[in-house]
Every structure is written in C-alpha cells, then in structure tokens.
Amino acid sequence: MNKKTIISASDDIVFNLKVLAKEKENIRRKLAVTAKEKERATRAITNVLEDLKIKEESLIEINAKEEAILLSIGEGLLATDEKGNIILINKIGEELLGVKSKEIMGKIFFGVIPIEDEKGVSIPPQKHPISMVLETGNATAISTYYYVRKDKTRFPMAIAVAPIVLDFKIIGTIKVFRDITREKEIDKAKSEFVSLASHQLRTPLTSISWYTEMILKGDVGQVTSDQKKYLEEIYQGNQRMIELVNTLLDVSRIELGTFKIESRPTDIIKLAESVLNEQKVEIEKNNLIITENFSKNVPIFSTDPKLLRMVFQNLLSNAVAYTPINGKIEFAISFDGKETVRIKVSDTGYGIPKNQQNQIFTKLFRADNIRDKDVDGTGLGLYIVKSIVKNSGGEIWFESEENKGTTFYVSLPSAEMKEKKKKDTT
Amino acid sequence: MNDSKDNKRILVIEDDTPLRKVLHDKFILEGFHVLEAKDGEEGLATALSERPDLILLDIVMPQMDGITMMKELRQKNEWGKNVPIILLTNLSADDEKINRAIADNAPAYYLVKSSYTINDLVEKIKERLS
C-alpha cells in the first residue's frame, strides 16, 4: 500500500465518520422530537383525564345538589314510580307523616298515606290523588283531605300531585304536601266572627226597619210626600244591609259546614214561580221580558227547598240586575226523565268579560264591566250558588259574551241519587 | 184604638229596648193588650201570673234565655203547656238546637226578626190567635 492509497483510505474513513456523525445527530434530534411529542401527548391525556375528573366531580356535586334541593323543600315531598311505589321522601315529609324513609321506600303509597275526608270517611286507594294522577296524567291539587297518623290523630293536608313525565311517558308521580291546620283554624275563626257579627247586626237593623215601616205607614202621624221619599230611601238602604247580612251568614254557614241539607219532596216549579214573583217589581221596573219554560214532566223532586230557593234567587236576581232595560230573560226547568233536573237562566245582559270568566265563582269577585254600572252586588251570590250546587252533587256552568248576555246551566241530581252516588264511590 | 178585639193579651219578652218598644207600640195600635219582660226569668214570672194569650219570645237574652224559659214554662202547668209561643230571634233557622226545641215544645213557631216586616209579624200573630 503506498502512502497515497493510505491517505485516500483515511479520507474515506473520515468522510464516512462524518456521515455517521450527521446521521447520529439526526437520530438524536428525531429522538428528542419524539420524546417531546410523547411528553406532550402524555400531558394531553393527563389533561383530558383531569378534565373528566373535574366534570365527574361537578356532576356528582350537581346531582347531590339537586337531591339536596329536592329534599330540602320546605314542604313535604314524596315521589312514586309509575306503579305507585314510593321512591323518595324528604325530611319534612317524614316529619309530617311520622314515618322513616327506610321503612317506606319501595312500598305502595296508599298503605303509607291513609287519608280521609272532613267527616272521617277514608278515601279509597283509587280515589287517592296519586292514583288519579297515574290514571289521568293530569296534575291535581286538593286541600279538603286529612292525613291520619299511626296514632289515629289527623291533620288537614294540602296536597298537590303532578305526574313525572320522561319521553312522553309517565314514569311516576311527585307529591308536595303540607299541614294546613293553622289556615283552617284562621278560616274557621273568620267565619265564626262573621257569623257572630252578623247576628249582632241584625238587631239594630230590625229596629230601623220596623220603626221606619211604622212611620211610612202613618202609624205615628201623617208624613209629607217629601219626607216619605227620604224615609223610603232609609228603608231601602236598610233592606240592603239586611240582605247583605243574610248573605254573609249564608257564606259563613257554608264555610263552617253548618249548612244542613234537609231534603224533602219539593215542587220545584212552584218554588221557581214564587222566586219569580219576588223579583216582579224589579222586572217590571226595567221592562224586562221574562220567558218561563217549565217542562210539564218535572216531578215532585227530592231536594232542599231552602237551598234550591237560594240558587234560583241568585241566578234570577243576577239576570235581572245585569240586564239593561227592555232586555229578555229566559228561565227554564226540565227533567231528564230519570233523576236529574236541568235549570237554565239566560239573559241578554252585560255579560261577563272573557278574561274574567274563570273568576266568576270566586268569593267577592265582581267583573269589571259591572263595577262601573250602578248595580249593587256583593260578589257572593255565585260563590254561594256554586257551593250549594256542589254540595248537592250537581254541576253548574255558563256561557257568556260581553254585551250579548249570559246563560247559566245547573244540573241537579235528586237527593236520593246523590246519596247513592256517594255510596258507590266509597 | 180597637179595644174590642177581646183584649187579646200578648207578652213580649225581649231584652233589646228599642225592639220591645216598637212591638209594644205596634200591638197597642192593633188593639192588643201588651205585657213586657226584659229577660227569660222576668218573662216566665209574668207569663205564669198573667197568663197571656200568646208569647213573643226572644232567644238570646241575659238571666234566662228563651229556649230555657220555654222548656220551663211547658213543664209548669197545663196552661203553660199549651200557650202558643212565637220564637222571635235573629239566630238562623238551620240551628238544630232551635229546630228541636220548636218541635218538642208545640205549639211553638219561629220567625227571623230581620226577615219580617212588623206588619207581617202582626198578621202572623192574628193567624195564631184566631
């Protein structure tokens, strides 16, 4: 090997070594990049995991919060599944019912929540609000039932039950309830006060009425025609007070539940005619045309004549009071051939505004359109009528258009029929 | 005015003075003889000593209330058992206690004062006395 050859070979080696070094450097760089990428990937995964964990934690927290919100509601809360088995009760619910969540979970509701009506007649499972909601799918609210505790004491309960709907399917019910003993007591005290005050009011009103009547009759000397006019105003004003007191007494009796329904065979047509007769003066004064449509087949009917008279009086006097001069009133009574009497009182009067029609049976409510007309009213008449009709097992409804007129319909079952119905349902 | 109405005698038992007075004046005008008492106790004594033809009896009164007085009178003697009594009150007719008292103490009737004109009341009395 000559020197030249050796130099050339070493050059080759050097060259090769340089190439190798470059490649090594390349690999090193690549490795560094890969490591960086790996680190980044790891960090990314960790981040995702962390995010997930945070999400999960917050979900758990939200769930817990929602449950806490649900369970902390200041009223009794109870939920059932679609079969009526209890799946949830909150603390207040436990306290109100005097039960422990553990004891009642998964149990059918009616064994756990026995309720009865005011008179102590227990409500059968199928009439229980929860059953009704499961059956009809409509929310319901009722405040006339009493919950019976294990020790047989009871308290009045306001109950609101709604269906739990998921994907258009009822998957259960949720019931909110509370003790309304205090509300009931206040209501009773109020009614008792009205009753007492009204009785006290009647004595001086009677004095005014009788003395004025005697003066007007000339029992204590002649009165001039001017004096007579004034005295008549006093007398009429006093009569209105007497009627108002009577109405208040009726309302308090309805609310105290001291209204005794005393049914007896009643000639409804005769009763209707006598009420019409009472209104005659007003009818003639306003030149109203009355049409009587009393069916021939209306039998002697078992009902409370005192209460039915009040229904007639209120519906008719409303028609008379709220129909302008020269208007028409129809008073119709018919019989379905079995056990129900239908009453219809229609007028061509002021009507009830559409947006207030849902309030018309509310106590003390008077529609806006008659407030500014010079017509007396207490806002109690239809409330009384509705209470009587409801207590008699009947129904009342109406159609009305402003400035065209109003028609009231009442369907009234005979007293025997009502008793029978009551027996069937309990 | 008309004293010839056999001088039928009415006992008015009523604690409210204005009412007692107006009834007195009206009945005199109608030709009745009127006796008055302010409470059940006084009323019972007057009834037993005077034996009126008819008694108008308020229910809510001090000393002795009308229902108690009626029961006592009915038990006292034969006259007390049969004298017609009109309970004149402002209590309501669906009061079971009153209804029972009326049924148990015939001949007894019942009027709500504020629902009656004084004229209708006189008619009612004449009806009972005839």
Side-chain angles (χ1 to χ4, degrees):
Chain A
M1 220 192 275
N2 60 22
K3 200 179 167 187
K4 213 174 168 180
T5 324
I6 293 167
I7 290 170
S8 140
S10 80
D11 276 354
D12 276 355
I13 290 166
V14 170
F15 178 77
N16 280 338
L17 278 174
K18 271 188 186 157
V19 169
L20 273 176
K22 215 180 229 169
E23 268 175 13
K24 195 188 149 202
E25 173 63 21
N26 273 344
I27 288 168
R28 200 190 57 80
R29 264 196 216 135
K30 266 189 195 149
L31 273 174
V33 169
T34 314
K36 228 179 239 165
E37 271 171 3
K38 198 191 143 210
E39 201 189 310
R40 211 180 293 144
T42 313
R43 208 180 303 139
I45 289 168
T46 317
N47 278 347
V48 168
L49 284 175
E50 263 171 19
D51 280 358
L52 273 175
K53 205 172 163 212
I54 291 170
K55 282 248 169 71
E56 197 190 335
E57 272 166 8
S58 76
L59 267 179
I60 290 171
E61 201 184 309
I62 288 172
N63 259 339
K65 237 187 204 164
E66 274 177 357
E67 200 173 327
I69 287 172
L70 213 54
L71 295 179
S72 311
I73 288 176
E75 305 197 310
L77 186 82
L78 182 141
T80 74
D81 62 14
E82 76 283 359
K83 294 195 189 83
N85 297 314
I86 294 167
I87 55 170
L88 176 117
I89 184 164
N90 71 346
K91 214 163 181 57
I92 301 217
E94 289 180 313
E95 278 164 22
L96 281 173
L97 301 183
V99 295
K100 283 270 163 266
S101 168
K102 283 178 287 181
E103 308 161 6
I104 62 165
M105 241 358 110
K107 285 194 181 152
I108 192 87
F109 73 88
F110 54 76
V112 178
I113 328 165
I115 51 174
E116 61 184 34
D117 67 11
E118 203 159 5
K119 294 186 185 102
V121 180
S122 67
I123 307 300
Q126 70 272 19
K127 289 269 157 197
H128 199 290
I130 291 178
S131 309
M132 307 283 267
V133 169
L134 284 174
E135 202 191 308
T136 63
N138 297 324
T140 175
I142 185 158
S143 52
T144 52
Y145 288 153
Y146 288 74
Y147 169 71
V148 189
R149 297 190 189 94
K150 278 186 208 136
D151 62 1
K152 298 290 160 213
T153 58
R154 63 178 205 164
F155 67 83
M157 191 189 246
I159 303 170
V161 184
I164 306 174
V165 181
L166 190 69
D167 294 335
F168 307 107
K169 252 181 70 190
I170 297 175
I171 58 159
T173 66
I174 184 140
K175 168 175 150 168
V176 179
F177 54 100
R178 67 195 159 92
D179 182 347
I180 50 167
T181 307
R182 178 131 181 84
E183 282 99 320
K184 288 251 172 190
E185 274 169 8
I186 291 171
D187 229 43
K188 188 156 182 250
K190 191 191 69 196
S191 287
E192 274 167 355
F193 170 76
V194 168
S195 171
L196 188 81
S198 303
H199 282 131
Q200 298 297 328
L201 281 171
R202 273 176 162 178
T203 302
L205 290 173
T206 308
S207 278
I208 299 171
S209 170
W210 287 355
Y211 279 102
T212 318
E213 186 191 335
M214 283 181 70
I215 304 176
L216 274 168
K217 265 202 89 191
D219 280 346
V220 281
Q222 207 60 42
V223 281
T224 69
S225 70
D226 278 349
Q227 287 168 343
K228 207 170 167 178
K229 262 188 232 155
Y230 279 29
L231 283 166
E232 258 155 15
E233 289 294 345
I234 295 172
Y235 188 76
Q236 287 312 325
N238 191 60
Q239 279 316 107
R240 261 163 46 195
M241 284 282 284
I242 290 174
E243 273 159 35
L244 178 62
V245 166
N246 288 344
T247 310
L248 284 174
L249 275 171
D250 288 339
V251 169
S252 78
R253 261 179 285 162
I254 283 172
E255 290 178 349
L256 281 172
T258 54
F259 235 132
K260 229 176 74 207
I261 297 185
E262 288 171 44
S263 299
R264 55 165 175 270
T266 305
D267 186 338
I268 293 185
I269 305 295
K270 214 167 130 191
L271 187 68
E273 272 161 357
S274 122
V275 173
L276 259 178
N277 210 36
E278 285 170 14
Q279 308 271 337
K280 220 169 154 186
V281 181
E282 285 298 307
I283 290 168
E284 280 167 6
K285 204 170 83 188
N286 292 321
N287 210 16
L288 302 171
I289 301 157
I290 299 263
T291 317
E292 292 170 34
N293 275 326
F294 300 152
S295 293
K296 292 253 166 5
N297 72 338
V298 180
I300 299 295
F301 195 72
S302 177
T303 190
D304 185 325
K306 253 192 340 235
L307 298 182
L308 187 58
R309 171 176 279 271
M310 282 164 68
V311 171
F312 285 165
Q313 274 171 340
N314 278 296
L315 292 180
L316 258 185
S317 65
N318 276 352
V320 170
Y322 301 128
T323 301
I325 290 175
N326 299 325
K328 286 183 198 139
I329 291 171
E330 188 198 342
F331 187 10
I333 300 173
S334 61
F335 182 61
D336 74 345
K338 283 179 241 145
E339 60 272 310
T340 306
V341 162
R342 277 278 289 267
I343 298 147
K344 175 181 154 192
V345 178
S346 72
D347 63 53
T348 58
Y350 305 126
I352 306 155
K354 275 268 175 300
N355 62 346
Q356 294 189 314
Q357 293 193 350
N358 59 343
Q359 296 173 75
I360 203 70
F361 294 113
T362 308
K363 185 164 59 169
L364 297 172
F365 176 80
R366 296 193 74 206
D368 289 338
N369 62 330
I370 45 124
R371 277 171 179 270
D372 48 0
K373 302 226 161 50
D374 189 22
V375 181
D376 286 318
T378 55
L380 293 171
L382 286 174
Y383 170 74
I384 291 174
V385 169
K386 170 112 189 195
S387 304
I388 292 174
V389 172
K390 221 175 85 193
N391 279 325
S392 312
E395 274 174 71
I396 179 163
W397 66 101
F398 67 93
E399 292 156 5
S400 182
E401 197 173 329
E402 230 181 316
N403 297 319
K404 288 239 168 97
T406 305
T407 305
F408 274 95
Y409 301 93
V410 174
S411 79
L412 199 69
S414 70
E416 287 97 5
M417 191 56 206
K418 192 206 159 199
E419 282 307 307
K420 209 174 145 264
K421 258 195 195 161
K422 230 166 68 187
K423 267 182 207 141
D424 288 349
T425 54
T426 50
Chain B
M1 285 183 183
N2 185 2
D3 259 9
S4 66
K5 209 174 258 167
D6 319 333
N7 267 338
K8 289 277 189 196
R9 301 192 316 154
I10 300 174
L11 170 58
V12 179
I13 308 171
E14 164 69 63
D15 63 330
D16 186 78
T17 306
L19 283 184
R20 204 174 56 249
K21 266 187 69 186
V22 76
L23 288 171
H24 169 271
D25 291 358
K26 183 69 181 177
F27 296 159
I28 296 288
L29 277 173
E30 292 290 333
F32 296 112
H33 184 81
V34 185
L35 302 156
E36 294 175 56
K38 288 192 286 295
D39 58 62
E41 228 170 69
E42 202 185 310
L44 184 62
T46 314
L48 289 169
S49 62
E50 299 290 330
R51 300 201 165 188
D53 297 292
L54 183 138
I55 298 172
L56 273 189
L57 181 56
D58 187 19
I59 293 183
V60 182
M61 287 184 297
Q63 312 295 343
M64 186 191 283
D65 70 86
I67 300 281
T68 311
M69 195 219 108
M70 177 165 73
K71 282 180 185 156
E72 293 217 356
L73 183 65
R74 290 296 189 227
Q75 282 159 14
K76 275 282 190 255
N77 54 34
E78 200 55 29
W79 173 83
K81 202 185 267 177
N82 295 311
V83 60
I85 296 175
I86 296 180
L87 285 165
L88 202 57
T89 181
N90 272 329
L91 296 177
S92 297
D94 58 335
D95 190 319
E96 213 167 316
K97 227 171 67 192
I98 298 174
N99 276 329
R100 203 168 333 117
I102 292 166
D104 293 348
N105 292 283
Y109 313 92
Y110 175 96
L111 293 182
V112 173
K113 285 182 244 187
S114 64
S115 304
Y116 262 76
T117 66
I118 203 161
N119 229 37
D120 289 344
L121 177 59
V122 169
E123 290 307 313
K124 205 92 197 164
I125 288 168
K126 285 178 180 165
E127 217 175 274
R128 294 291 156 234
L129 286 174
S130 62

